């Protein structure tokens, strides 16, 4: 449902960010880094398809306040990392999209190993590259031969606005094999017969083109409204968080635990599940653990979690040594597909049990940041917390006791806000100040 815009100016310079998540679409419009309008819509049933994404995109644009839409100067989109489509020359998908968590490409990993460096996140069963190789092996030949563009979710949707198929950004393309250090695909990939399918990669926030005349007229946008290269949903969440200096970490305490640390140095350690996204002159080093809120929900509903948390003494000694997982398998900071959950012994007292679970997840977070620094990232200075777990003050105290750095709640938890910031200023503000190392503010 739409929200009333919060600010009005005689001369507005607006940027629109649109976030395509797993269950729906969120949009945010900002003026001078102040949110002025927001919108939410769900895909509905059945599970989302590329048709549902396109309908949701147009629903967002159709909902724009007519008094504001002519003042939108830039639009950016983010999508789920590793969600891809194979399209013909008109941008029409030739098969259903393969989603971010689809692991069927594991059967093609042997071929992928010869195409990308061993530390590349493209060498993964759920990567964009693995999905491309799977389509090459399994799509009917008459469809494969029609393929002209291999696109990520954000790429495909953005092209509906600017009309230029075959463009991507180096955040979405990292798991396709693109090297953001060299700003190029590996030579071995460029020698493949399907290399023509690979999108041209732009810097996130770089202008891809103006809105088409049809889009401008249909939705009341200025013909001079620019569409910029987008990003992934997790990086958009980082951009929205308020993180502002090298050494800032963002912990997303959602169903899983995701960690990103702004570093002056690139860190690649696939043996630990670590990889780095480029962000201007800096790097976002991190990884994602399978621990998190989903484990808590296995044992307690939301109201019970809140009630029990209020009875926990964060400073009380705790001898439970849990590694909370729903099922065997971990990605980061331990990269072991067979790692077993450690959830015993379970005390009779639910307060003590929950304390052990929260402490176990906090220890994984601590281990993750420590590992990033050990592998060469910039030292951790402070943490911004996003996701549902950010609302639990007891958990924050437990984490504070372990991590020994300031812990803050993210300025905004909406990825759409971060994507709007990307549209507003690109990643120019992530240029190094030669004296302080902080990135410039717009």
């Amino acid at each position: 449902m739409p929200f009333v815009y919060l600010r009005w100016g005689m001369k507005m310079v607006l940027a629109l960010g649109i976030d395509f998540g797993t269950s729906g679409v969120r949009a945010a419009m900002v003026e001078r880094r102040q949110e002025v309008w927001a919108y939410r819509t769900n895909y509905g049933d059945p599970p989302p398809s590329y048709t549902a994404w396109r309908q949701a995109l147009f629903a967002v644009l159709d909902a724009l306040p007519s008094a504001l839409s002519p003042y939108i100067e830039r639009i950016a989109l983010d999508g789920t990392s590793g969600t891809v489509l194979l399209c013909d020359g008109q941008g029409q998908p030739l098969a259903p999209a393969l989603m971010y968590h689809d692991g069927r490409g594991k059967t093609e990993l042997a071929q992928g190993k010869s195409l990308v460096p061993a530390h590349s996140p493209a060498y993964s069963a759920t990567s964009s590259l693995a999905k491309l190789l799977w389509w090459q092996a399994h799509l009917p030949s008459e469809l494969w031969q029609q393929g002209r563009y291999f696109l990520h979710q954000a790429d495909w949707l953005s092209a509906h606005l600017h009309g230029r198929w075959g463009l991507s950004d180096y955040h979405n393309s990292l798991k396709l094999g693109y090297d953001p250090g060299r700003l190029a695909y590996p030579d071995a990939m460029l020698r493949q017969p399907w290399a023509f399918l690979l999108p041209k990669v732009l810097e996130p926030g770089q202008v891809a083109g103006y809105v088409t005349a049809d889009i401008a007229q249909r939705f009341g946008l200025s013909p001079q409204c620019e569409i910029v290269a987008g990003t992934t949903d997790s990086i958009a969440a980082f951009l929205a968080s308020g993180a502002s200096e090298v050494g800032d970490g963002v912990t997303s305490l959602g169903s899983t635990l995701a960690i990103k640390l702004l570093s002056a140095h690139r860190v690649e350690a696939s043996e630990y599940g670590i990889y780095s996204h480029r962000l201007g002159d800096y790097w976002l080093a991190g990884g994602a653990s399978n621990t998190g809120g989903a484990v808590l929900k296995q044992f307690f509903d939301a109201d019970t979690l809140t009630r029990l948390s209020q009875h926990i003494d964060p400073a009380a000694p705790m001898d439970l040594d849990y590694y909370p997982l729903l099922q065997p398998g971990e990605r980061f900071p331990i990269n072991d597909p067979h790692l077993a959950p450690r959830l015993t012994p379970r005390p009779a007292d639910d307060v003590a049990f929950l304390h052990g679970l929260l402490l176990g997840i906090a220890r994984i977070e601590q281990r993750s940041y420590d590992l990033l620094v050990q592998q060469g990232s910039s030292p951790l200075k402070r943490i911004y917390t996003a996701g549902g777990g950010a609302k639990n003050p007891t958990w924050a105290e437990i984490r504070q006791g372990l991590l020994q750095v300031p812990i803050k709640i993210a300025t905004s938890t909406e990825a759409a806000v971060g994507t709007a910031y990307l549209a507003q200023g690109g990643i120019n503000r992530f240029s190094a100040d030669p004296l302080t190392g902080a990135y410039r503010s717009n």
Side-chain angles (χ1 to χ4, degrees), residues 142-391:
E142 62 272 17
L143 290 179
W144 174 254
Q145 291 169 8
Q146 294 178 48
R148 293 296 178 270
Y149 303 112
F150 182 81
L151 300 172
H152 301 89
Q153 182 183 36
D155 310 337
W156 185 75
L157 288 163
S158 295
H160 282 82
L161 304 184
H162 57 62
R164 300 179 62 199
W165 300 100
L167 300 181
S168 187
D169 63 88
Y170 61 57
H171 291 160
N172 274 292
S173 296
L174 183 69
K175 293 182 180 179
L176 181 54
Y178 188 83
D179 183 348
R182 295 177 55 238
L183 296 178
Y185 290 105
D187 292 342
M189 288 184 64
L190 295 177
R191 291 193 294 267
Q192 299 304 307
W194 40 257
F196 68 92
L197 295 170
L198 300 174
K200 178 182 178 181
V201 178
L202 306 180
E203 180 178 81
Q206 181 179 342
V207 175
Y210 294 112
V211 291
T212 65
D214 287 346
I215 291 293
Q217 182 177 20
R218 178 175 175 180
F219 299 109
L221 297 167
S222 165
Q224 300 303 307
C225 177
E226 296 173 327
I227 309 302
V228 306
T231 185
T232 65
D233 54 349
S234 62
I235 294 182
F238 180 93
L239 297 176
S241 68
S244 60
E245 296 180 7
V246 168
D248 280 351
V250 174
T251 298
S252 296
L253 293 172
S255 297
T256 58
L257 174 71
I259 284 173
K260 284 186 166 53
L261 175 59
L262 191 67
S263 172
H265 314 288
R266 184 179 186 178
V267 183
E268 303 285 350
S270 57
E271 65 270 28
Y272 298 112
I274 296 172
Y275 60 92
S276 294
H277 277 283
R278 185 171 184 159
L279 201 62
D281 291 337
Y282 298 107
W283 297 90
L284 276 180
S289 167
N290 290 334
T291 195
V295 182
L296 303 178
K297 290 180 181 179
Q298 184 181 32
F299 299 103
F300 307 109
D301 60 35
D303 290 341
T304 303
L305 278 170
T306 300
R307 177 176 54 81
L308 294 176
S309 295
Q310 293 170 351
H311 295 285
I312 293 174
D313 177 3
M318 169 59 59
D319 59 1
L320 296 174
D321 181 24
Y322 291 159
Y323 201 106
L325 297 171
L326 283 177
Q327 58 192 16
E330 175 62 307
R331 298 174 289 169
F332 167 76
I334 300 170
N335 188 5
D336 180 356
H338 307 294
L339 185 71
R342 196 163 63 241
L343 294 167
T344 57
R346 176 171 179 170
D349 180 8
D350 280 346
V351 172
F353 181 51
L354 177 58
H355 189 180
L357 292 173
L358 296 180
L359 181 60
I361 297 173
R363 285 171 174 161
I364 294 171
E365 180 186 12
Q366 178 191 32
R367 181 172 180 171
S368 298
Y369 281 115
D370 287 347
L371 181 61
L372 290 175
V373 175
Q374 291 167 14
Q375 294 298 312
S377 77
S378 298
L380 177 67
K381 293 180 179 178
R382 59 183 170 181
I383 295 173
Y384 290 82
T385 310
K391 302 173 184 177

